[in-house]
Amino acid sequence: MKFNKIFAIAALAITMVFSSCNFEDLDVDPNRATGSPANLILNGVLNNLWENAWTLEQRYNQYWCINYNYYGTNEYWSGPASTDYTRLKNVIKMEEEALKAGAAAVNPYSALGKFFRAYHFVNMTQKLGDLPLSKALQGLDIQAPKYNTQKEIYVQVLNWLDEANNDLASLIAKGGQKADGDWFYGGDLTKWQKLVNSFKLRVLISLSKKEADADLKVKARFAEVLGNPTKFPIFTGNSDNLVFIPSGSIPNFYYRKNPNNYGFDALRENTSKLYIDLLKEFQDPRLFLVAEPAEAKVKAGVSPTSFDAFEGASTGENLDDMATKAQKGEYSLISRKRYYVTYTGEPVTQVGYQEMCFNIAEGLNRGWATGVAEDWYKKGIQASMDFYGLKAGANNVDFQKSGAKLGEFNTYTINVDFAAYLAQPKVKYAGNNAEGLAQILKQNYLAMAQSSGLQAYYNWRRTGIPAFLTGVGIGNQGKIPLRYKYPNAEYNTNKANVEAAVARQSFTNDDLFGKMWIIQ
């Protein structure tokens, strides 16, 4: 009897314990984090913004060539592009975590999130065309989202940028607001607001073929930014640039040159004819900082500081021919002094003041707003000269000694006269006409060397200036693609919608040479 009483009490106790226990709690590992602070997620989001300086994209921009096919070719792409949707999922998670931590509805992470959305959707649509947007990023709820038209994407992008600008303005007005985890601008929201509006000018210029579209309001938006600098602050100098500076002693063969990869790359990469010929055409002192004189020309008696001593290879040249000529010293190599002697790589500008100046000059040349295009054209040139550290008067330049080890240079002096440079007939601004527009576009091309992702290619695709070089070396029957194909994963998981988008845009078999809406 006593035993039964004890058993009943024990059973009651066990029942009480389990009745008060949530079994789902047993599945939670108390040692594993269930979320990440918004500032840590922001760190990763920012890491996904920067473009490498020495990637295939810069070959597609025709700034440099590879002459040794074991390491690659100068052919353009023939297949699909990757998308940024995973990166955008991180943006959404960043915003969610900020709210979970008690942030207000409008906070630094939500404001930056709108910019990141605009940035990534522009990146994707410029490569592909129509994309899922309004029905995208909804997880299991919509696994096969329909595609928005490219026009709809740009309408949304411009709205996001306006919202980001307004949100940042309200946060700045409150004071004490900062985006922790920001290693580009140190959390300074005033810098981000300038970036948002400077990027907006890039987007508007990219829509030049749609300047009359009533929904986009390209000209009105452009004039609004320039006409109201208090509401729409923009970059005021190179210090405002969104720029990445690669550094560290561990060699990385993809995003910077350094002493460790000198033996692999220095003789296998040379400058491109398009880039070098433009610098020579303008008698441009930047040439002496980015390239080495062609060894064969120096041996033939040409002065190393003569523009005639430099020669670039055509991107379209047969690779075997390019390799033979490079081995003979007929082509200019990339500057060893600038790009190889340290582990601190070339600063890689993602969105920059110099580009913004040329974008403003182009808009004014097209008559989109009131202003002096020539002033912005000159500002853009000067900003690029400043980026390379050129100063008025004597400047030292260093070229590798023939057959010497890295670090053994001959030093020469070149004289720079900015006023004389700008007064040259081919550089002096020709006015708000086709010739003046061509000058702006060519100088913008020079200023964006080894930076700004595919912007140089996009400007060529939109305007044809400067004229990119073609030939057997670029592949695709000697034709430069106008777009990428859609990812293979879309055909596996979202076939009906991607095929409908391809048909709507008249891309035959999702072809590389179809003209997307933005360039029609």
Side-chain angles (χ1 to χ4, degrees):
M1 189 72 171
K2 184 177 180 182
F3 175 80
N4 289 338
K5 185 176 181 181
I6 294 172
F7 180 82
I9 294 172
L12 178 62
I14 293 172
T15 302
M16 291 176 64
V17 168
F18 278 93
S19 64
S20 63
C21 177
N22 184 346
F23 285 97
E24 292 181 357
D25 292 340
L26 299 178
D27 291 331
V28 177
D29 183 350
N31 297 314
R32 179 173 295 179
T34 58
S36 298
N39 64 308
L40 292 183
I41 302 175
L42 174 61
N43 191 290
V45 168
L46 296 179
N47 199 51
N48 288 327
L49 282 187
W50 69 275
E51 302 276 354
N52 298 341
W54 301 101
T55 56
L56 289 171
E57 283 77 8
Q58 299 305 331
R59 290 189 223 164
Y60 301 154
N61 288 333
Q62 299 201 4
Y63 289 122
W64 62 288
C65 305
I66 193 163
N67 60 52
Y68 189 61
N69 64 8
Y70 182 84
Y71 291 96
T73 71
N74 302 304
E75 294 181 2
Y76 281 76
W77 62 90
S78 59
S82 59
T83 60
D84 294 356
Y85 288 107
T86 298
R87 297 175 176 185
L88 286 163
K89 289 178 183 178
N90 292 333
V91 172
I92 292 171
K93 187 64 175 174
M94 175 190 72
E95 296 167 337
E96 291 174 348
E97 291 296 332
L99 293 176
K100 283 171 60 177
V106 175
N107 61 75
Y109 300 102
S110 66
L112 296 186
K114 292 173 182 177
F115 169 75
F116 297 143
R117 282 174 167 80
Y119 187 94
H120 285 299
F121 270 103
V122 167
N123 181 49
M124 292 190 291
T125 192
Q126 285 199 314
K127 292 179 178 178
L128 295 163
D130 294 1
L131 290 166
L133 186 151
S134 59
K135 302 297 182 181
L137 300 167
Q138 297 187 34
L140 296 177
D141 293 336
I142 301 179
Q143 298 182 52
K146 291 184 178 180
Y147 279 56
N148 289 87
T149 67
Q150 193 169 51
K151 175 179 175 177
E152 290 170 340
I153 291 168
Y154 273 100
V155 169
Q156 180 60 71
V157 161
L158 290 169
N159 287 339
W160 275 329
L161 292 174
D162 283 342
E163 291 169 9
N165 177 64
N166 292 338
D167 289 353
L168 288 167
S170 68
L171 292 168
I172 292 166
K174 288 181 181 179
Q177 303 292 312
K178 185 179 180 183
D180 291 327
D182 167 23
W183 46 264
F184 269 120
Y185 289 133
D188 187 343
L189 299 186
T190 62
K191 293 280 191 180
W192 281 102
Q193 190 182 18
K194 289 181 180 181
L195 169 64
V196 165
N197 295 308
S198 301
F199 180 76
K200 180 179 175 181
L201 291 174
R202 173 195 282 183
V203 172
L204 292 170
I205 284 296
S206 75
L207 292 165
S208 64
K209 288 185 175 292
K210 305 299 177 182
E211 64 176 48
D213 189 278
D215 297 315
L216 293 169
K217 302 180 179 65
V218 172
K219 292 189 284 187
R221 288 176 184 269
F222 184 90
E224 183 182 34
V225 172
L226 293 192
N228 194 344
T230 301
K231 182 177 181 180
F232 299 100
I234 57 177
F235 291 160
T236 57
N238 285 338
S239 61
D240 291 327
N241 292 350
L242 184 71
V243 62
F244 175 78
I245 303 176
S247 61
S249 60
I250 299 175
N252 185 307
F253 295 92
Y254 298 104
Y255 68 72
R256 71 179 184 270
K257 303 303 179 188
N258 61 72
N260 291 73
N261 58 31
Y262 172 77
F264 289 92
D265 297 348
L267 298 178
R268 295 168 182 145
E269 296 169 349
N270 46 259
T271 54
S272 78
K273 180 176 177 60
L274 175 59
Y275 182 39
I276 296 301
D277 280 3
L278 269 180
L279 291 167
K280 289 168 65 175
E281 179 183 350
F282 298 149
Q283 300 286 285
D284 197 306
R286 287 172 285 189
L287 175 62
F288 302 109
L289 297 178
V290 300
E292 302 270 351
E295 190 171 300
K297 291 200 171 188
V298 175
K299 287 181 178 179
V302 181
S303 169
T305 55
S306 167
F307 289 98
D308 292 334
F310 293 80
E311 193 70 40
S314 170
T315 300
E317 185 174 28
N318 177 281
L319 192 57
D320 289 338
D321 293 340
M322 187 186 297
T324 299
K325 293 176 183 176
Q327 289 169 6
K328 293 180 179 179
E330 295 181 21
Y331 289 137
S332 293
L333 301 173
I334 296 163
S335 170
R336 266 67 72 88
K337 178 62 181 290
R338 185 172 186 87
Y339 300 116
Y340 282 107
V341 295
T342 74
Y343 289 99
T344 299
E346 179 84 346
V348 186
T349 302
Q350 312 307 307
V351 184
Y353 172 70
Q354 48 203 339
E355 178 201 346
M356 185 205 74
C357 290
F358 292 119
N359 287 337
I360 293 174
E362 180 178 343
L364 294 175
N365 176 284
R366 294 179 181 277
W368 291 0
T370 300
V372 182
E374 183 176 14
D375 289 348
W376 288 102
Y377 169 73
K378 289 179 177 179
K379 287 179 182 179
I381 293 173
Q382 188 62 58
S384 182
M385 298 287 186
D386 292 343
F387 172 82
Y388 286 103
L390 288 165
K391 62 183 187 296
N395 292 259
N396 289 335
V397 294
D398 300 281
F399 302 134
Q400 180 95 355
K401 293 180 179 179
S402 179
K405 296 179 181 179
L406 179 64
E408 297 179 8
F409 300 104
N410 289 318
T411 300
Y412 303 89
T413 300
I414 60 167
N415 289 302
V416 176
D417 185 331
F418 294 123
Y421 175 84
L422 293 170
Q424 295 178 91
K426 290 187 177 181
V427 178
K428 183 177 174 59
Y429 186 62
N432 293 346
N433 48 45
E435 184 180 353
L437 179 59
Q439 290 174 313
I440 292 167
L441 291 166
K442 288 177 180 179
Q443 287 289 347
N444 198 7
Y445 176 82
L446 294 178
M448 289 194 295
Q450 301 307 114
S451 64
S452 302
L454 277 170
Q455 290 308 305
Y457 160 80
Y458 292 142
N459 277 350
W460 164 81
R461 186 179 65 179
R462 176 175 62 91
T463 68
I465 300 171
F468 277 26
L469 304 178
T470 59
V472 296
I474 68 171
N476 296 311
Q477 295 80 49
K479 295 169 61 180
I480 299 175
L482 297 179
R483 60 179 295 272
Y484 290 78
K485 294 183 178 182
Y486 286 107
N488 294 330
E490 279 295 277
Y491 288 96
N492 295 330
T493 62
N494 197 13
K495 185 176 181 181
N497 287 319
V498 69
E499 288 182 345
V502 167
R504 180 172 62 232
Q505 296 170 94
S506 300
F507 296 157
T508 305
N509 297 321
D510 198 359
D511 67 305
L512 301 170
F513 307 103
K515 274 196 168 187
M516 60 180 66
W517 174 84
I518 196 176
I519 57 172
Q520 291 177 358

